[in-house]
Amino acid sequence: MVGIILSLVMLMYLAYRGMSVIWLAPILALFAAIFSAGTPLMASYTEVFMLSAAQYVKLYFPAFLLGAVFGKIMDVSGAAKTIAQVITSRVGANNAILAVVLAVSVLTYGGVSMFVVVFAVYPIAAQIFRDSNVPKRLIPGTIALGSFTFTMTALPGSPQIQNTIAMPFFGTTAYAAPMLGLIGTSTMFGLGMLWLKRREAVARANGEGYGHHLGIDVDDSEEPDTLPSPRRAFIPIVIVLMLNFLLVTFYYPNIEAHYLSDYGSTLQKVKGMWSLIIALTTAIVVALILFRKQIAHAREAINDGGESAIMPIMNTAAAVGFGNVIKSLSSFDSIKEMILSIPGSPLLSFAMSTSLLAGITGSASGGLSIALDALGDIYIQQASNLGISLEALHRIASIACGGLDSLPHNGAVITLLSICGMTHRDSYKDIFVCTLAIPIVATGVVLIFATFGVV
């Protein structure tokens, strides 16, 4: 236990100091293993760390890759900016925070990877905040609310990896437990907006405006001369959502795929990921056709999008590898027993274990993957015995993983602050409230409704 605690503290501290999780994770995983008598170090590295990291990449690289390429195309074509402008014009220029949250939400819910959406939206957010004289330090929290919370884990049908990762385990789809998802969404969006608007009001009362910041806030180097029309800009987003829904709801349930048994799989396990791959690929092709006049260098855009998927998935895979080494240690059995002994519904202990493991790894998807690997079968059995819907397990696990993951060592948090030109001291307080504290509250609210059978 001492080794596990020390390795976790060092991982959070060193990641906070800007060191890469890709090389920190295996070193600190082996550091924890040293404290476990009889644990073979090299086997822990090659047969546990690398094997689990590779398995994660195998399962989820298509979602990362296609999401990143789609996001890049929406960015360089100007479609993302068109969507942001439409939303801003509808809600009013004086509602800078709401405009940015909605713009980010539409893009992430439409399939743009949350790792990519920051690059696409920050220049727009900086312009909107400057025009409205809202403090720049509130931009990271605003973007985080729109991308790292309800669109990531709660909204039914979200193509984000944190919502789709449970599909192979439970045989569910991205639309699992829609009512619970909408309840979680309302809680996170409502409380997040109340917090950010309160912060804006206090800043205005103190006479604080956008501020003077070194460097260029807006980079128009890749912006096309003419932006796509609003109607065309929204078409790829609609395609992702509608095609994904049609495939998982109507097409795949009515086909035979017995051949999958030769691969050790079932249609129930893969239909969600297959639907997402087809939907994103179709949207990419349609976007390239629709925006061909705006995209001067399509090949470069696709290449850049593909390359931008590498670091996020490798960071997460490294976190998964770290967590699986911890899981393999004898002392983890004590942690598992403590989690399983949590009184009450298995929904509660599953939510707590998922959130804790997400905090340990600094990754929502990494923590959820480890929780499913280590405890998923146990909770499926418990749910079956108690008549609890697997859709409810899916939704609660997805929402819960988006809580403690947002500790300072989270890679997405570090990336967001870096792109916005802010520090943890400047903006982490708002990120903490919007993406850690409020999602934990939302998980509690959803648990209450799930206990009464709401799905």
Side-chain angles (χ1 to χ4, degrees):
M1 292 298 289
V2 170
I4 291 176
I5 294 171
L6 284 175
S7 65
L8 291 176
V9 171
M10 291 170 66
L11 180 64
M12 287 189 285
Y13 174 75
L14 294 175
Y16 181 87
R17 299 288 296 176
M19 297 186 184
S20 173
V21 173
I22 291 178
W23 66 265
L24 276 178
I27 292 175
L28 293 177
L30 297 183
F31 174 81
I34 290 173
F35 287 78
S36 183
T39 300
L41 294 185
M42 291 309 300
S44 294
Y45 177 59
T46 61
E47 306 308 308
V48 180
F49 183 93
M50 289 305 303
L51 198 63
S52 56
Q55 179 66 10
Y56 182 86
V57 174
K58 177 258 181 185
L59 285 173
Y60 302 109
F61 183 64
F64 277 84
L65 173 65
L66 295 172
V69 172
F70 181 56
K72 186 65 177 179
I73 291 171
M74 293 293 287
D75 181 18
V76 301
S77 66
K81 185 168 186 177
T82 294
I83 291 171
Q85 289 177 344
V86 169
I87 293 172
T88 302
S89 66
R90 294 290 188 274
V91 303
N94 293 328
N95 293 313
I97 290 175
L98 178 60
V100 172
V101 169
L102 292 178
V104 175
S105 300
V106 168
L107 291 171
T108 50
Y109 188 49
V112 179
S113 168
M114 67 174 191
F115 295 99
V116 177
V117 76
V118 179
F119 294 94
V121 171
Y122 168 65
I124 305 165
Q127 188 67 57
I128 295 173
F129 272 55
R130 186 192 297 107
D131 292 344
S132 301
N133 202 29
V134 178
K136 183 183 178 183
R137 62 182 173 81
L138 297 181
I139 291 180
T142 302
I143 293 178
L145 176 61
S147 58
F148 297 172
T149 59
F150 55 92
T151 55
M152 183 178 87
T153 64
L155 265 179
S158 173
Q160 298 302 321
I161 194 72
Q162 292 77 9
N163 181 46
T164 62
I165 207 167
M167 296 188 305
F169 289 88
F170 298 135
T172 49
T173 72
Y175 294 88
M179 288 305 300
L180 293 179
L182 292 174
I183 291 168
T185 295
S186 302
T187 304
M188 285 186 264
F189 175 77
L191 294 179
M193 284 302 304
L194 285 174
W195 170 263
L196 291 172
K197 292 297 290 184
R198 174 61 181 167
R199 295 278 282 169
E200 178 189 2
V202 171
R204 289 190 183 281
N206 294 333
E208 180 184 0
Y210 183 80
H212 300 284
H213 303 277
L214 298 176
I216 300 174
D217 281 329
V218 180
D219 180 9
D220 294 327
S221 60
E222 290 189 315
E223 185 177 313
D225 295 332
T226 58
L227 297 177
S229 66
R231 180 176 298 177
R232 285 196 299 145
F234 277 98
I235 288 176
I237 301 289
V238 173
I239 286 175
V240 173
L241 297 176
M242 292 302 298
L243 187 55
N244 186 25
F245 175 76
L246 292 173
L247 287 170
V248 300
T249 306
F250 299 108
Y251 177 69
Y252 281 122
N254 295 305
I255 68 169
E256 294 293 335
H258 295 304
Y259 63 87
L260 283 171
S261 61
D262 297 336
Y263 300 90
S265 186
T266 65
L267 184 61
Q268 191 70 13
K269 289 183 178 180
V270 300
K271 68 177 183 180
M273 187 59 67
W274 284 5
S275 299
L276 180 62
I277 291 171
I278 293 171
L280 282 171
T281 302
T282 304
I284 289 170
V285 173
V286 170
L288 288 171
I289 296 171
L290 285 175
F291 309 139
R292 60 188 181 278
K293 294 182 179 179
Q294 283 79 23
I295 304 175
H297 307 287
R299 183 179 61 187
E300 287 78 359
I302 295 172
N303 288 343
D304 290 345
E307 291 172 2
S308 68
I310 302 298
M311 288 302 293
I313 194 168
M314 291 310 297
N315 275 317
T316 306
V320 170
F322 172 86
N324 275 278
V325 172
I326 299 299
K327 185 185 74 173
S328 71
L329 303 180
S330 57
S331 52
F332 186 78
D333 290 336
S334 300
I335 297 175
K336 185 189 295 188
E337 288 175 8
M338 287 189 293
I339 291 171
L340 293 174
S341 65
I342 296 173
S345 167
L347 293 173
L348 174 61
S349 61
F350 194 24
M352 292 183 67
S353 64
T354 301
S355 190
L356 287 171
L357 289 167
I360 288 171
T361 60
S363 165
S365 55
L368 179 53
S369 293
I370 296 166
L372 290 168
D373 283 334
L375 304 167
D377 290 339
I378 297 174
Y379 284 116
I380 288 175
Q381 186 60 50
Q382 291 182 355
S384 176
N385 294 339
L386 296 173
I388 296 174
S389 165
L390 292 182
E391 289 201 358
L393 278 178
H394 173 140
R395 184 57 54 206
I396 285 171
S398 294
I399 295 175
C401 80
L404 291 178
D405 70 305
S406 299
L407 290 168
H409 64 298
N410 177 278
V413 169
I414 294 171
T415 300
L416 172 61
L417 291 171
S418 175
I419 293 170
C420 295
M422 296 284 105
T423 65
H424 281 78
R425 181 177 297 178
D426 295 325
S427 302
Y428 182 69
K429 180 178 181 179
D430 299 309
I431 295 175
F432 176 89
V433 172
C434 290
T435 71
L436 193 153
I438 289 175
I440 289 176
V441 172
T443 302
V445 172
V446 170
L447 279 169
I448 293 172
F449 280 90
T451 302
F452 290 100
V454 175
V455 176

